[in-house]
């Protein structure tokens, strides 16, 4: 089969479009003929050698696919050949064929294209897991999302607006994305290039702070995040793109009864991912099926042009998701 291969770890140019062995589904897996996959920041990190595939998983990049069931493993009861599906995978998405566990797969509603379905798993499940299941955002609370133009955070904005419409949303982004983030209906957009988000949150909340923060920046944002967190608030750390170390004032954290939770989706056990997906399917999937929300697709490239897709993500020109058509 055709797939994106890595010559080495490094810049986008280490990716080549070549031939790889077609994967074989184990008993609980399905083989999917991939029609579309999408680019996620963790793919860029894996390409750079900073985010290895979990043990036993495909070394091929790609954390989600949409396509058609081609073959089923011996224990598969939920799916049959020809079903149109999308799936969360721990690797292997940048290819013509990909295997997925039967409980990590969801059906594609008639209202969704393969390209749209390929943009749901990694970003919306990450947003749902961290903001709602772990962060426990609830009605009348407030949330700060960093990076409103990205895949995870355009998803998080949509979920906050639709699952908890009375939540107050604060979103940071670069100057060039302010208008587009505003257009998504967030309550307060903070231009992180021109403003201090901690000062803005303090002023806008009357010093109270926000109940949940979804952060992927890490070190340089840590202290400002903690200052911006309300009493009893939760900082969800889902990435460390700008630094892994930070100083924590434990006394303040204790007195303010705050929580910091680190979370990664990819390396969770198969059963745990299936439980998260089951909740996601019940709570969020109907919103896609009835078109209340739609994945925001920024750009579409053929799989063979994965280099261009990664260059686009790394220069942060995208707004929403970048699709690779297979
Ligand atoms: N833990 C997990 O399970 C998990 C799963 C998926 C993704 N992630 C992490 O989530 C992060 C986002 O992934 P993604 O696929 O959504 O990537 P993405 O589409 O590239 O989004 C990242 C966004 O952050 C913005 N940004 C960059 N520097 C910023 C700063 N200093 N302050 C605020 N925003 C900033 C970028 O645009 P502008 O700078 O132009 O505003 C961009 O819109 C990555 O770090 C990824 O590793 C974690």
């Amino acid at each position: 089969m055709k797939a994106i291969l890595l010559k080495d770890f490094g810049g986008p140019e280490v990716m080549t479009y070549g031939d790889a062995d077609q994967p074989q589904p184990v008993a609980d897996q399905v083989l999917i003929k991939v029609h579309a996959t999408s680019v996620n920041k963790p793919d860029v990190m894996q390409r750079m050698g900073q985010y290895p595939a979990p043990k036993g998983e495909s070394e091929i990049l790609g954390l989600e696919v949409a396509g058609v069931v081609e073959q089923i493993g011996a224990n598969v009861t939920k799916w049959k050949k020809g079903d149109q599906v999308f799936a969360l995978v721990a690797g292997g998405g940048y290819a013509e064929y990909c295997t997925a566990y039967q409980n990590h797969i969801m059906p594609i509603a008639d209202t969704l294209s393969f390209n749209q379905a390929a943009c749901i798993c990694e970003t919306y499940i990450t947003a749902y897991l961290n903001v709602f299941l772990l962060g426990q955002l609830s009605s009348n609370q407030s949330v700060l999302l960093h990076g409103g133009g990205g895949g995870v955070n355009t998803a998080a904005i949509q979920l906050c607006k639709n699952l908890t419409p009375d939540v107050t949303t604060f979103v940071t982004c670069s100057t060039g994305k302010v208008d587009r983030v505003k257009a998504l209906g967030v309550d307060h957009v903070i231009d992180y290039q021109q403003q201090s988000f901690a000062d803005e949150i303090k002023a806008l909340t009357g010093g109270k702070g926000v109940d949940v923060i979804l952060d992927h920046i890490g070190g340089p944002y840590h202290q400002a995040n903690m200052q911006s967190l309300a009493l009893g608030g939760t900082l969800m750390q889902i990435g460390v793109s700008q630094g892994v170390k930070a100083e924590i004032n434990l006394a303040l954290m204790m007195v303010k009864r705050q929580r910091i939770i680190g979370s990664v989706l990819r390396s969770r056990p198969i059963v745990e991912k299936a439980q998260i997906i089951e909740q996601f399917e019940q709570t969020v999937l109907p919103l896609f099926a009835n078109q209340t929300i739609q994945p925001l697709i920024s750009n579409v490239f053929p799989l063979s042009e994965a280099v261009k897709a990664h260059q686009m993500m790394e220069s942060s020109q995208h707004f929403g998701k970048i699709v690779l058509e297979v």
Side-chain angles (χ1 to χ4, degrees):
M1 66 171 185
K2 290 291 181 195
I4 294 296
L5 311 170
L6 296 184
K7 287 187 283 195
D8 201 348
F9 293 124
E13 67 287 350
V14 300
M15 292 187 290
T16 58
Y17 185 63
D19 295 304
D21 292 339
Q22 187 174 307
Q24 289 303 312
V26 297
D28 286 327
Q29 286 181 332
V30 155
L31 180 71
I32 297 171
K33 182 168 178 11
V34 180
H35 285 235
T37 180
S38 66
V39 181
N40 292 287
K41 200 42 101 28
D43 306 343
V44 171
M45 291 159 54
Q46 182 172 344
R47 193 204 70 216
M48 292 168 79
Q50 296 166 0
Y51 193 47
K55 213 165 178 255
E57 298 291 350
S58 171
E59 300 278 333
I60 294 173
L61 303 183
L63 300 176
E64 55 189 317
V65 295
V68 178
V69 173
E70 176 77 14
Q71 189 187 330
I72 59 170
N75 294 343
V76 172
T77 50
K78 283 178 75 174
W79 309 104
K80 61 180 188 317
K81 189 171 168 29
D83 285 345
Q84 300 198 351
V85 296
F86 65 105
L88 180 72
V89 295
Y94 289 19
E96 285 183 308
Y97 292 91
C98 181
T99 52
Y101 287 96
Q102 64 167 332
N103 293 332
H104 296 176
I105 296 173
M106 289 174 274
I108 301 181
D110 295 342
T111 44
L112 283 173
S113 65
F114 285 119
N115 284 5
Q116 288 175 318
C119 294
I120 295 176
C121 279
E122 182 67 11
T123 47
Y124 286 88
I125 295 176
T126 295
Y128 177 64
L129 169 67
N130 293 291
V131 175
F132 294 95
L133 299 183
L134 299 171
Q136 296 175 349
L137 183 71
S138 56
S139 288
N140 294 314
Q141 289 193 325
S142 53
V143 65
L144 168 62
L145 307 168
H146 286 302
V152 170
N153 284 296
T154 48
I157 292 168
Q158 290 180 337
L159 294 186
C160 289
K161 279 179 58 70
N162 286 285
L163 297 179
T164 47
D166 51 7
V167 152
T168 307
T169 47
F170 300 85
V171 180
T172 61
C173 65
S174 56
T175 310
K177 293 179 182 166
V178 167
D179 290 342
R180 281 174 289 173
V181 172
K182 255 186 203 149
L184 297 178
V186 307
D187 296 302
H188 303 282
V189 183
I190 302 169
D191 175 349
Y192 75 80
Q193 292 174 319
Q194 308 288 335
Q195 298 169 296
S196 147
F197 74 83
D199 289 350
E200 292 300 311
I201 295 288
K202 190 174 176 190
L204 291 165
T205 63
K208 179 174 176 280
V210 296
D211 298 295
V212 177
I213 300 178
L214 186 63
D215 180 73
H216 63 89
I217 302 299
Y221 270 16
H222 183 75
Q223 290 190 359
N225 277 336
M226 295 308 277
Q227 282 164 24
S228 305
L229 207 54
L231 267 180
T234 302
L235 168 61
M236 292 303 313
Q237 199 68 53
I238 62 158
V240 285
S241 60
Q242 292 181 26
V244 296
K245 292 198 174 158
E247 200 172 291
I248 303 178
N249 184 332
L250 293 170
L252 209 57
M253 185 182 160
M254 175 182 70
V255 171
K256 290 176 84 179
R257 305 188 302 278
Q258 294 165 328
R259 301 187 302 165
I260 304 173
I261 301 179
S263 168
V264 175
L265 181 60
R266 187 186 196 184
S267 54
R268 285 174 190 266
I270 293 163
V271 172
E272 210 174 299
K273 281 195 222 176
Q275 288 163 348
I276 295 165
I277 288 168
E278 194 182 351
Q279 291 186 67
F280 180 85
E281 192 169 352
Q282 284 166 11
T283 314
V284 182
L285 215 52
L287 298 175
F288 288 107
N290 67 21
Q291 295 183 301
T292 303
I293 54 177
Q294 286 185 332
L296 266 175
I297 296 181
S298 174
N299 297 83
V300 180
F301 294 91
L303 179 65
S304 56
E305 293 183 11
V307 170
K308 284 189 191 159
H310 274 222
Q311 283 166 340
M312 167 163 269
M313 177 166 271
E314 284 182 275
S315 59
S316 218
Q317 295 164 46
H318 65 299
F319 190 87
K321 293 283 292 181
I322 303 171
V323 171
L324 294 172
E325 275 180 345
V326 183

